[in-house]
Amino acid sequence: QVTFWLKKIYGDMPIPWYEVNERTVDILHEVMECQKERDNDVTLLIGYMKERAAKFEEEAKYWQDILEEGLGLSEHSLSEEAAADLADLVDCAMHLEIEDTSLTNFYSAINNLTSELYETKFKNDEMEVKVKSLTKKLTGALKMEQQLKEDIKKVEESQEALKAKAEVRAKNLKFLEDKSKDLKIQISDAENELVVRGLDKSLVHEALVKSSQ
C-alpha cells in the first residue's frame, strides 16, 4: 500500500531512497492515512461549495428573470450611475459576507462589524496599557541591571585595591621577618664572638632576657 501510494504521488519521478524497515513503513502508512483523510475532506468541501454555487446561480437566475420579465430591468438597461450603484451594493454585500441585500441584513452586518471594531479597540487599549506597563518595568530592570554592573565593577576594583595592599603588606612582613632573622643571626654571631673573647655569658642578650623574665 505504501509503495503504491508513493508511486502515485511521485508519478514518473523516482521515489527518493529511504531505509525500508518496520518503523519507516509504519510512519509512511500513517502519513498516507492522514493524506487520504485530508483529500476526502477537500473533496467534500469542494462538493459543498459547488452545491452552494449552483444554488446561488439558480437564485440569481430566478431574480434576473423576475427583473427582466416583470420590470423590464436588465444589467444593460441600467444607466451608468445605476450600474455603478449596483456594483457598489454587490461589493458591500461581498465584504459584509451577507447573502441577502436587504436593508435589515446590511444594518445587522454593519452593527456586527461596529461591535467587533469597538471590541478590537478595547483590546488594543488594554494591550497598549500592558505594553506601557511592561516597557516601564523593562526600563526599570535595565537601569537596575546597569546599576548592579557598576556596583560589581566598583566592588571588583575595591577588591583589587585591597588585594594589592595585602600583597604589599605581605611583602613588607616577609621583609621584616627575614630582616629579624638576619639580625638575630648577627646578634648570635656577635655574642658568640664576644664570649670567645672572654665576655661573661650572663651578659649576653639571651641570658639577660631569661633573667628579666
Side-chain angles (χ1 to χ4, degrees), residues 119-146:
E119 184 178 354
T120 303
K121 186 177 183 302
F122 177 73
K123 289 182 179 179
N124 287 340
D125 291 341
E126 283 188 335
M127 186 62 67
E128 186 177 354
V129 172
K130 288 182 180 179
V131 169
K132 287 182 179 179
S133 177
L134 290 174
T135 303
K136 185 177 180 181
K137 290 180 179 179
L138 178 61
T139 302
L142 292 174
K143 287 182 179 179
M144 184 176 294
E145 181 185 13
Q146 184 62 31

Side-chain angles (χ1 to χ4, degrees), residues 16-67:
W17 182 89
Y18 67 95
E19 184 179 351
V20 180
N21 54 49
E22 185 177 355
R23 181 172 179 275
T24 57
V25 173
D26 286 342
I27 293 173
L28 288 173
H29 187 270
E30 185 176 352
V31 174
M32 179 187 71
E33 293 297 329
C34 291
Q35 188 182 36
K36 284 183 178 180
E37 290 181 7
R38 187 193 64 180
D39 291 343
N40 291 334
D41 293 340
V42 171
T43 302
L44 291 174
L45 180 60
I46 291 173
Y48 172 71
M49 297 301 292
K50 285 181 178 180
E51 289 179 2
R52 285 188 56 128
K55 178 184 175 183
F56 289 146
E57 287 177 0
E58 183 180 350
E59 189 174 352
K61 181 69 170 57
Y62 170 76
W63 287 108
Q64 185 177 1
D65 292 341
I66 290 178
L67 290 173

Side-chain angles (χ1 to χ4, degrees), residues 83-98 101 106:
D85 291 339
L86 180 60
D88 290 339
L89 187 65
V90 173
D91 188 52
C92 290
M94 294 288 290
H95 280 88
L96 293 173
E97 297 180 355
I98 59 177
T101 57
F106 272 114

Side-chain angles (χ1 to χ4, degrees), residues 1-13 15:
Q1 288 179 352
V2 170
T3 303
F4 178 76
W5 171 66
L6 289 174
K7 288 181 179 179
K8 183 179 178 182
I9 290 177
Y10 286 97
D12 297 333
M13 297 176 60
I15 299 174

Side-chain angles (χ1 to χ4, degrees), residues 42-193:
V42 171
T43 302
L44 291 174
L45 180 60
I46 291 173
Y48 172 71
M49 297 301 292
K50 285 181 178 180
E51 289 179 2
R52 285 188 56 128
K55 178 184 175 183
F56 289 146
E57 287 177 0
E58 183 180 350
E59 189 174 352
K61 181 69 170 57
Y62 170 76
W63 287 108
Q64 185 177 1
D65 292 341
I66 290 178
L67 290 173
E68 289 180 354
E69 296 176 4
L71 300 176
L73 293 175
S74 67
E75 184 179 354
H76 302 291
S77 65
L78 296 175
S79 65
E80 184 177 347
E81 184 179 357
D85 291 339
L86 180 60
D88 290 339
L89 187 65
V90 173
D91 188 52
C92 290
M94 294 288 290
H95 280 88
L96 293 173
E97 297 180 355
I98 59 177
E99 299 179 3
D100 189 344
T101 57
S102 65
L103 192 59
T104 303
N105 279 349
F106 272 114
Y107 277 135
S108 178
I110 291 173
N111 286 336
N112 289 336
L113 282 179
T114 303
S115 298
E116 291 178 3
L117 176 63
Y118 282 124
E119 184 178 354
T120 303
K121 186 177 183 302
F122 177 73
K123 289 182 179 179
N124 287 340
D125 291 341
E126 283 188 335
M127 186 62 67
E128 186 177 354
V129 172
K130 288 182 180 179
V131 169
K132 287 182 179 179
S133 177
L134 290 174
T135 303
K136 185 177 180 181
K137 290 180 179 179
L138 178 61
T139 302
L142 292 174
K143 287 182 179 179
M144 184 176 294
E145 181 185 13
Q146 184 62 31
Q147 185 63 44
L148 286 174
K149 287 182 179 179
E150 293 177 359
D151 292 342
I152 291 173
K153 184 178 180 181
K154 289 179 181 178
V155 170
E156 289 177 347
E157 291 175 352
S158 176
Q159 289 179 343
E160 289 293 330
L162 292 175
K163 183 179 178 182
K165 289 182 180 179
E167 290 178 353
V168 171
R169 290 178 180 176
K171 289 180 180 179
N172 291 337
L173 180 60
K174 182 68 169 55
F175 172 77
L176 292 175
E177 288 177 349
D178 293 341
K179 192 67 175 177
S180 175
K181 289 179 181 179
D182 184 59
L183 289 175
K184 286 181 179 179
I185 292 172
Q186 291 182 15
I187 291 172
S188 177
D189 291 343
E191 288 178 343
N192 290 334
E193 185 178 351

